[in-house]
Amino acid sequence: MEPQVTPVRVATYTRISTDEEHQPYSLEAQAHRLGSYIESQDQWQLVRRFTDQMTGSVLERPGLERALAEGRAKRYDLLLVYRVDRLSRSVRGLAQILDELDRAGVTFRSATEPFDTGTPAGRMMVQMLGVFAEFERATMIDRVVAGMERKAARGGWNGGLFPFGYQVDSSTGALKVHDEQALIVRQIFDLYLKKRMGSRAIAAWLNRCGHRTNYGKPWSHRTVLIVLRNRTYLGEIFFRGVHHVAPHPALVEAETFEAAQHLAEERGEDLGKRRINGSDYLLSGLIRCMHCGRRYIGAAAHGRSARYTYYTCYSRNRYGTRTCAAENLPAGRLEEAVVAALLEAYADHDLVDAAIAEARRRAADSEPHHQEELAGLESEIKRTEAGIDRYFAAFEAGTMTEKVCAPRLSALSEKLGQLQGRRAELLAMIEPEAPASIGALQLQQVRTEAERILSDGPLPQRKALLQELVAEIRVEGRDSITPVFRVPDPPVRVLDRVVGRGGLEPPTSALSARRSAS
C-alpha cells in the first residue's frame, strides 16, 4: 500500500501599483498564470488568494499583512507569486518578508523565477532579483523626477490636487483660473489684511457662507494659512524646493502677498516658523473623542505670565466647535489623573485576575458565533472564487470580451479580498492565545518600575511607557473620562477604570474607585 501524499496548500499573492490598464501584468493576468502554474504541479492545491493595489516599496499592505498573518496561523504551506518584484521592490523588505515566512514554516516560490528558497543558493538568487527590482524602481523614479523638473521649469503643473482658485487646462497642462474660487482667494487676502481678521475667524466665515475646500471639507485656520502662504497665487509653480515662473495668471498682487506674510509673522501664524513638539504631551495619540471619533492633540495658550497646555479634539481644533463641541482638557491634571489611576489599577491584583477571567469567558462565549460566521464566509469565498473562474473560462473560450469581463472581475476580486480579510480577523478571534495570568509579585514589580519611570524618568521614556500600558482614553466630557489600561504581561488584555462624576473639575489627584473589567 502506497503512503498517502498530503497535498501542498498553496496561497497566491498578486499586486499592481496603479491603474490596471497601464500594467504589463494585471491582477487577473497574474491570477490566471498562477492558477495554470499550480495546476501543472503535482499535489498542489490552491487554498488562499491575496492581492494588493499598492506600491511594492512599502510593507504596510493589507493583502500582504493578511498573507503573513495566515501564514503564521498555518493556513497554507507555500506562497506563490508571479515575479519576485510583486512581493517587494526593496531588498530590505524582501529579506524581512522571507524571514517571516521562514519563521512561519512557509515556503516561497516565484512562478517565473524558479529558485528554491530552501537552499542557500536559491535564497541568494532571490536576493539578487530583489537588488535588480530595487535598482529598476530607483531608475524609474530618477527618470520621472527629471521629467517633472523639466515640466515645472516650463511652468507646467505636475499633477496632484491643484491649488484652490485654479484648475488644470487639459490642452496645455498648465493651471487656469477657476473664476468662482478665485473670488474667494482674493476675499481671504482682503479679510486678512483690510478687515484684520485672524485665520480662525476667516475659516468660520467661509464655513458659515457654505464654502468648502477642494477636498470638500470645511475650512480650518490651517487651510486659510496655506492659501495665504501659497506663492502659486503670484504666478509661480513650486517643485522640489524651487519656485518657477509659470504662465498661469496671478490672483493677488506681489505687494498684497508680501504684506500678508509680514502680518502672519507678526501674529505668530507663520506655519513654516512654528515649532510643534508632540513629545511635550505624555498622552499624545491615546485620547479618543467619543463625539466625533477623532483623537485629541496637544495644544497651548499663552497668558500674560504663563503658558497653559491642554488637550483638544482634532476636529474642534481644525474646524471649530460647529464640527465638534468636545471640551478641552487641562493637560497637567489629566496626565496626573491617568498616571494615578494606572498605578492604582496595578496595585489591585484581584482586579487584574478578574479582567483576565472575564476576557477568557467572553472569548469562549463568542466563539460559536464566530465559527458560524466563518462557515458562511468560507462558502461565500468559494462561490466568489468559482465566479472568478467562470469569467476567466468565458474569456479564454472567446464567449465574452475583455471589456465585459474586466469590470466584473475587478468587482469580484475586491469582494474576495474583503471576504478574506474578514476571515483572517475571525481566525485571529477564534484562535487567540489564552490570556496569561500574572502573579501578584510580578504585578507589584511592574507597578514599582512603572512608578519609578513615571516619577523620575526622562520625558521620552515616560511617554513610551504610557504608550505601552494605556490602550486608549475615551472622552465624552470632563465629567466622563474612561482610561483603558493593558495588563502588562503579553498577550495583552485591557482594564477599564472610569473617572468619577467630578471629573477634572474640581481637580482630582486620582480616578474614582468605581471600576469594571473587560
Side-chain angles (χ1 to χ4, degrees):
M1 182 176 178
E2 294 184 0
Q4 185 176 3
V5 179
T6 302
V8 178
R9 299 173 301 167
V10 180
T12 62
Y13 178 77
T14 55
R15 181 186 65 80
I16 61 173
S17 296
T18 54
D19 191 341
E20 293 180 23
E21 295 180 8
H22 305 103
Q23 296 295 313
Y25 303 102
S26 69
L27 291 175
E28 285 76 14
Q30 292 177 53
H32 175 66
R33 287 169 171 77
L34 291 177
S36 299
Y37 185 82
I38 291 171
E39 291 176 0
S40 70
Q41 305 297 311
D42 292 333
Q43 299 298 323
W44 279 26
Q45 178 183 358
L46 178 62
V47 296
R48 295 286 189 273
R49 288 179 178 173
F50 306 100
T51 187
D52 280 312
Q53 296 190 43
M54 294 180 64
T55 175
S57 62
V58 299
L59 300 185
E60 292 76 20
R61 291 174 253 152
L64 177 60
E65 290 175 347
R66 288 197 297 270
L68 295 176
E70 293 202 27
R72 290 189 292 268
K74 309 298 183 184
R75 297 298 169 191
Y76 60 90
D77 307 310
L78 183 147
L79 182 64
L80 180 68
V81 299
Y82 184 67
R83 286 173 42 175
V84 169
D85 65 3
R86 298 300 86 194
L87 195 63
S88 177
R89 278 190 173 272
S90 75
V91 178
R92 180 181 297 179
L94 180 62
Q96 183 175 335
I97 294 170
L98 293 180
D99 285 342
E100 290 197 36
L101 292 175
D102 280 346
R103 288 196 296 270
V106 174
T107 305
F108 171 71
R109 289 286 189 277
S110 167
T112 57
E113 300 146 337
F115 303 115
D116 183 2
T117 60
T119 66
R123 288 185 67 87
M124 180 192 70
M125 294 304 299
V126 171
Q127 294 283 1
M128 291 292 292
L129 289 174
V131 170
F132 284 115
E134 186 169 354
F135 172 74
E136 180 186 10
R137 174 177 175 270
T139 302
M140 290 172 58
I141 290 174
D142 286 343
R143 290 173 179 170
V144 170
V145 170
M148 295 175 72
E149 286 178 339
R150 289 193 297 271
K151 184 176 180 180
R154 295 193 298 266
W157 181 250
N158 273 316
L161 187 68
F162 32 87
F164 189 84
Y166 290 103
Q167 52 192 344
V168 175
D169 187 337
S170 57
S171 61
T172 64
L175 295 177
K176 64 179 181 180
V177 175
H178 186 297
D179 293 332
E180 294 181 5
Q181 292 185 355
L183 293 174
I184 298 173
V185 170
R186 295 187 180 102
Q187 198 157 23
I188 289 174
F189 277 89
D190 184 72
L191 292 173
Y192 194 70
L193 290 172
K194 295 182 180 179
K195 303 294 185 182
R196 312 300 287 185
M197 291 174 61
S199 56
R200 293 182 186 274
I202 295 174
W205 181 84
L206 291 170
N207 293 330
R208 284 197 304 270
C209 293
H211 299 302
R212 290 295 181 265
T213 67
N214 278 338
Y215 291 99
K217 293 183 178 181
W219 285 83
S220 71
H221 71 286
R222 292 185 65 85
T223 49
V224 169
L225 291 172
I226 287 172
V227 168
L228 292 170
R229 296 181 67 245
N230 196 337
R231 298 186 64 88
T232 305
Y233 302 121
L234 292 176
E236 298 177 355
I237 287 291
F238 178 81
F239 185 72
R240 295 177 69 84
V242 180
H243 287 90
H244 303 277
V245 177
H248 64 261
L251 296 186
V252 297
E253 299 291 336
E255 296 78 6
T256 301
F257 185 85
E258 293 302 326
Q261 309 316 300
H262 289 309
L263 182 57
E265 186 174 353
E266 290 175 6
R267 291 176 170 177
E269 290 188 314
D270 190 341
L271 295 176
K273 297 181 179 179
R274 283 188 174 184
R275 178 179 176 274
I276 301 174
N277 186 359
S279 64
D280 290 344
Y281 299 87
L282 291 177
L283 305 177
S284 293
L286 295 176
I287 311 171
R288 180 182 296 279
C289 175
M290 304 308 291
H291 296 284
C292 67
R294 303 298 291 269
R295 296 287 180 177
Y296 272 64
I297 59 176
H302 297 270
R304 291 185 177 180
S305 59
R307 177 176 180 266
Y308 304 94
T309 58
Y310 59 94
Y311 292 98
T312 183
C313 172
Y314 174 87
S315 296
R316 169 178 172 153
N317 181 70
R318 187 126 180 140
Y319 304 117
T321 55
R322 292 171 65 91
T323 302
C324 183
E327 296 175 282
N328 293 334
L329 306 174
R333 275 180 279 174
L334 178 62
E335 291 166 0
E336 290 174 4
V338 169
V339 168
L342 176 68
L343 297 177
E344 183 183 348
Y346 287 172
D348 192 338
H349 184 256
D350 292 338
L351 174 64
V352 175
D353 274 351
I356 293 174
E358 177 68 10
R360 288 173 173 168
R361 183 191 66 77
R362 290 185 182 182
D365 290 346
S366 61
E367 183 169 351
H369 302 290
H370 293 328
Q371 291 284 7
E372 182 179 353
E373 183 182 354
L374 182 62
L377 272 176
E378 295 288 2
S379 299
E380 185 66 18
I381 288 173
K382 289 180 180 178
R383 286 194 295 270
T384 305
E385 291 176 338
I388 292 174
D389 291 339
R390 285 195 298 272
Y391 275 97
F392 276 131
F395 176 70
E396 291 171 355
T399 58
M400 194 173 290
T401 65
E402 182 179 0
K403 184 177 180 180
V404 175
C405 285
R408 185 58 182 157
L409 281 170
S410 179
L412 286 173
S413 297
E414 182 178 356
K415 178 183 178 182
L416 182 62
Q418 294 172 349
L419 292 172
Q420 290 173 334
R422 178 56 182 165
R423 177 174 61 184
E425 293 175 358
L426 286 173
L427 290 171
M429 290 187 285
I430 290 172
E431 300 179 359
E433 299 180 37
S437 298
I438 180 171
L441 179 59
Q442 185 182 13
L443 184 64
Q444 178 59 37
Q445 291 172 340
V446 170
R447 184 188 183 281
T448 301
E449 181 65 10
E451 186 174 18
R452 181 190 66 78
I453 293 174
L454 293 172
S455 298
D456 304 320
L459 184 62
Q461 190 175 16
R462 282 185 285 147
K463 184 176 180 180
L465 179 65
L466 288 175
Q467 297 286 328
E468 179 70 23
L469 299 181
V470 181
E472 69 175 6
I473 302 164
R474 303 163 186 165
V475 177
E476 295 182 7
R478 289 195 177 194
D479 60 348
S480 182
I481 301 173
T482 307
V484 182
F485 301 140
R486 291 190 173 98
V487 174
D489 190 25
V492 170
R493 310 306 294 178
V494 299
L495 301 173
D496 286 356
R497 294 178 70 89
V498 183
V499 175
R501 300 305 297 177
L504 298 177
E505 297 288 351
T508 176
S509 60
L511 303 187
S512 168
R514 292 190 296 126
R515 60 207 178 195
S516 60
S518 67

